Amino acid sequence: MEVVIKAGDREVAVVVADAVEQLLADKPDAVLGLATGSSPLAVYDELARRHEAGRISFARARAFMLDEYVGLPADHPERYRNVIERELLSRVDFAPGAVQGPDGLATDLVVAAEDYERAIVEAGGVDLQLLGIGTNGHIAFNEPGSSLASRTRPLPLTEQTRRDNARFFDDDMDAVPRLCMTQGLGTIMAARHLVLVAFGTVKSQAVRELVEGPVSASWPATVMQHHPHATVLLDEAAAAQLERADYYREAWAAKPGWQRL
Ligand code: F6R
């Protein structure tokens, strides 16, 4: 696992956007994995900027979203499909239908989850999966206790996640859905490159467990320690509890220019 510590989210966004730009240059029909929430927003701003500048095109790319709330009306602004439309899709040039998400409005969620798994496989799998991390160590919405081999499925959200996400619902806990559809940890682990971004002191404990703790379903993101190509990009505050922070900084500073993320 490579750990990159930068001053802030803008600096992290440049490094991640470089990796996406390089991927799309090599493979214009690449498959991206998209996260929602606040963590990837600086990355999406940077990608939108580069698209506007003519440096990057998503016209042949496809993408799969990590997760979705169950039960929010189709036009709810916090439905992840609408969030990703607002934060990224409306600003770049994905073809119509090129971006899919788990169907939180399906009448049969289990069948919808199986269909979603199949769609990812039929697309050839995800080349680069962008991830955030919850304060309780979840990735996508795989809450603590999730099987490390789990696949896309409906799952209840923990109280902590609903409390953390209440900020997107006018701080009204009752407005936060209790159920989600999420890619599983096994689904995420099948992506070829995992790129996790985390910012702020509030994430520092989850980041310490992710990078330096034992692999455990109690901190679901720790499964990434088993991935052959995982990159974790942090600001100083999120990195504050890492024991080997100096080593990660030295390794990044010494990284040869030819070596990619
Ligand atoms: C969202 C997702 C979640 C978030 C996590 C952190 O698609 O997969 O795992 O990345 O809850 O949320 P933020 O970035 O809002 O702190």
Side-chain angles (χ1 to χ4, degrees), residues 9 55 60 68 75 113 165 190 196 215 251:
D9 62 351
R55 282 173 65 176
R60 293 178 55 200
E68 182 57 277
D75 61 352
N165 285 8
L196 184 143
V215 175

Side-chain angles (χ1 to χ4, degrees), residues 197-252:
V197 297
F199 307 108
T201 310
V202 72
K203 299 291 174 71
S204 61
Q205 185 188 8
V207 164
R208 188 193 56 198
E209 297 293 339
L210 158 64
V211 178
E212 297 178 346
V215 175
S216 160
S218 296
W219 290 93
T222 58
V223 72
M224 289 173 60
Q225 293 179 26
H226 282 296
H227 198 285
H229 191 187
T231 312
V232 174
L233 299 106
L234 310 167
D235 67 0
E236 294 287 348
Q241 294 194 40
L242 293 177
E243 279 180 19
R244 293 189 292 269
D246 286 344
Y247 167 70
Y248 308 134
R249 286 194 191 88
E250 283 161 25
W252 177 255

Side-chain angles (χ1 to χ4, degrees), residues 34-40 66-67 80 131-134 138-141 165 167-168 203:
L34 302 176
T36 38
S38 55
S39 304
L66 280 174
D67 43 15
Y80 278 169
L131 296 160
I133 188 169
H138 71 219
I139 48 173
F141 273 141
N165 285 8
R167 69 192 196 280
F168 297 114
K203 299 291 174 71

Side-chain angles (χ1 to χ4, degrees), residues 76-87:
H76 195 289
E78 291 307 323
R79 199 176 153 233
Y80 278 169
R81 177 72 217 187
N82 298 331
V83 172
I84 207 74
E85 186 68 43
R86 190 168 62 235
E87 303 295 352

Side-chain angles (χ1 to χ4, degrees), residues 5 29 56 70 101 127 148 161 183 209 237 240 253:
I5 303 170
D29 60 349
I56 194 167
V70 169
D127 291 298
L148 301 183
T161 296
Q183 283 192 29
E209 297 293 339

Side-chain angles (χ1 to χ4, degrees), residues 107-132:
T107 41
D108 190 329
L109 295 172
V110 174
V111 170
E114 286 167 5
D115 290 347
Y116 196 61
E117 284 282 329
R118 205 172 310 115
I120 296 172
V121 171
E122 283 170 2
V126 170
D127 291 298
L128 186 155
Q129 176 64 59
L130 189 56
L131 296 160

Side-chain angles (χ1 to χ4, degrees), residues 23-109:
L23 172 65
L24 289 171
D26 292 348
K27 188 179 178 187
D29 60 349
V31 179
L32 300 173
L34 302 176
T36 38
S38 55
S39 304
L41 293 181
V43 172
Y44 294 156
D45 286 346
E46 181 64 21
L47 291 176
R49 240 190 315 273
R50 291 185 190 202
H51 171 65
E52 207 173 318
R55 282 173 65 176
I56 194 167
S57 171
F58 299 86
R60 293 178 55 200
R62 279 166 300 168
F64 289 89
M65 296 168 59
L66 280 174
D67 43 15
E68 182 57 277
Y69 291 116
V70 169
L72 287 185
D75 61 352
H76 195 289
E78 291 307 323
R79 199 176 153 233
Y80 278 169
R81 177 72 217 187
N82 298 331
V83 172
I84 207 74
E85 186 68 43
R86 190 168 62 235
E87 303 295 352
L88 182 65
L89 308 189
S90 61
R91 306 161 75 191
V92 298
D93 61 344
F94 278 104
V99 179
Q100 297 183 51
D103 185 359
L105 291 167
T107 41
D108 190 329
L109 295 172

